[in-house]
Amino acid sequence: MNKQSPYIQILREHGHRITQARRIVLRVIEDAAGHYTSAQIIQAVEALDPRVGRASVFRALELFTRLGILRPTYIRGGMTPVYVLMSGGHHHHVICSECQVIHDFDDCGLDDMTRQLETRLNLRIDGHLLEFYGVCADCQAADA
Amino acid sequence: MNKQSPYIQILREHGHRITQARRIVLRVIEDAAGHYTSAQIIQAVEALDPRVGRASVFRALELFTRLGILRPTYIRGGMTPVYVLMSGGHHHHVICSECQVIHDFDDCGLDDMTRQLETRLNLRIDGHLLEFYGVCADCQAADA
DNA sequence: ATTTATGCAAAACTTTTGCATGGGA
DNA sequence: TCCCATGCAAAAGTTTTGCATAAAT
């Protein structure tokens, strides 16, 4: 039994094949710890294995998003999202509105709220994304 | 003094002009209570005033996002975001992974966490977006 | 009056699709 | 072997830009 990304296991459980394209895209995203746009992912994939085509990257991103492994989120000026890893179903970060730096953090303490919402709204919740917007210490210093 | 959208006031405070294009885009988004894609916004704007061009809609969306009035967020099924109103700087919703219905809710109770984060990470926080993913009651019933 | 913002149309990108072929299970 | 997934290249969308003109302040 090889040690491998837990995400590979998710693919397997859902009956999807473990292809080279999917493996490479996953590796790129895990290495980058998220925060890559599609263009950056395509470029990094190309560097690792030029035989993987753009279309497969997009197809992999779409599949991973559908499976809850990734989540696109919009930062900085453009309308192209960056992809964050939803490890354990959730992700949390702070984005600086000035320099756009992203600071991930764990321990969001939303378990209670999640259970309350499930009861109150009568639904099942599998994961969440929590984003804070603000001004980081460096930018505050620079502004002063 | 006219009664008017508080967002108009934000534009004014930042020295931006209150133009017809911006007024119409704002009205469309407030009427829609968010959750419109750029294409839907362009279409609705066109219906209200055909003289407003696409480019101005995109420019308005970009400005409003920069000012923290709007936030683009991804909904499954396409890579083009829907825009949610960040009233009071924050927004909270639950998205059903099956039917994609979006259920907004208030009262996120994140004030404590916000203050803790500000202290812990030494930064200033102005707003946030909290998204939960799950399966709504209807879809659970349909699945059973 | 002074600029900022607009509308138009073209250019630039990004994402999606169709189809023959290759690679996992 | 079977058929899902791929690569390619073209098509389809979406967003951005340049510039002369209009409209806010």
Side-chain angles (χ1 to χ4, degrees):
Chain A
M1 201 65 178
N2 280 337
K3 186 167 77 177
Q4 61 185 192
S5 161
Y7 305 113
I8 295 286
Q9 197 50 42
I10 294 177
L11 287 180
R12 211 166 253 133
E13 283 163 8
H14 287 262
H16 299 289
R17 294 182 177 172
I18 314 304
T19 65
Q20 172 70 350
R22 289 170 181 168
R23 234 190 306 260
I24 297 274
V25 170
L26 215 37
R27 187 189 308 167
V28 163
I29 289 164
E30 288 184 289
D31 286 358
H35 310 162
Y36 268 17
T37 62
S38 57
Q40 290 172 310
I41 292 167
I42 289 166
Q43 186 183 353
V45 165
E46 153 106 63
L48 285 181
D49 184 345
R51 297 192 311 163
V52 175
R54 298 176 217 24
S56 297
V57 174
F58 279 108
R59 286 186 278 232
L61 292 175
E62 196 268 324
L63 175 64
F64 297 165
T65 299
R66 191 145 41 77
L67 293 175
I69 294 173
L70 291 182
R71 172 91 194 158
T73 184
Y74 298 87
I75 59 166
R76 41 191 166 222
M79 284 293 81
T80 298
V82 299
Y83 290 83
V84 300
L85 261 176
M86 299 293 279
S87 60
H90 43 94
H91 186 93
H92 325 91
H93 56 215
V94 184
I95 304 176
C96 175
S97 312
E98 295 188 7
C99 67
Q100 311 303 318
V101 83
I102 303 180
H103 188 299
D104 293 354
F105 64 94
D106 304 320
D107 180 36
C108 67
L110 286 180
D111 290 353
D112 280 359
M113 191 191 304
T114 301
R115 262 172 257 120
Q116 284 169 27
L117 269 178
E118 286 184 310
T119 304
R120 177 143 65 94
L121 305 179
N122 184 36
L123 39 73
R124 200 186 76 221
I125 290 174
D126 314 309
H128 62 256
L129 171 67
L130 173 57
E131 296 187 322
F132 284 97
Y133 314 115
V135 182
C136 72
D138 289 351
C139 284
Q140 287 184 62
D143 292 348
Chain B
M1 202 64 180
N2 279 338
K3 185 166 78 176
Q4 63 186 189
S5 162
Y7 305 113
I8 295 286
Q9 196 51 38
I10 295 177
L11 288 181
R12 211 166 252 135
E13 282 162 8
H14 287 261
H16 298 290
R17 293 181 178 175
I18 313 305
T19 66
Q20 172 70 350
R22 290 171 179 166
R23 234 190 305 257
I24 298 274
V25 170
L26 214 38
R27 187 188 309 167
V28 163
I29 288 164
E30 289 184 288
D31 286 358
H35 310 164
Y36 267 18
T37 62
S38 58
Q40 290 172 312
I41 293 167
I42 288 166
Q43 187 183 351
V45 164
E46 153 106 62
L48 285 181
D49 184 344
R51 298 192 310 162
V52 174
R54 292 173 252 327
S56 296
V57 174
F58 279 108
R59 286 186 278 231
L61 292 175
E62 196 266 325
L63 175 64
F64 297 165
T65 299
R66 191 147 41 77
L67 293 176
I69 294 173
L70 290 181
R71 172 89 195 153
T73 187
Y74 166 88
I75 302 292
R76 189 174 86 197
M79 283 291 85
T80 147
V82 300
Y83 289 84
V84 300
L85 260 177
M86 300 292 279
S87 61
H90 45 96
H91 186 91
H92 326 91
H93 57 216
V94 184
I95 303 177
C96 176
S97 312
E98 295 187 8
C99 68
Q100 312 304 316
V101 82
I102 304 178
H103 188 298
D104 293 354
F105 64 94
D106 305 320
D107 180 36
C108 67
L110 285 179
D111 289 354
D112 280 359
M113 189 191 304
T114 301
R115 263 172 256 121
Q116 285 169 28
L117 269 177
E118 287 185 309
T119 303
R120 175 144 64 94
L121 304 179
N122 184 35
L123 39 72
R124 200 186 75 221
I125 290 175
D126 314 309
H128 62 255
L129 171 67
L130 173 56
E131 296 189 322
F132 284 98
Y133 314 116
V135 182
C136 71
D138 289 350
C139 284
Q140 287 185 63
D143 292 347

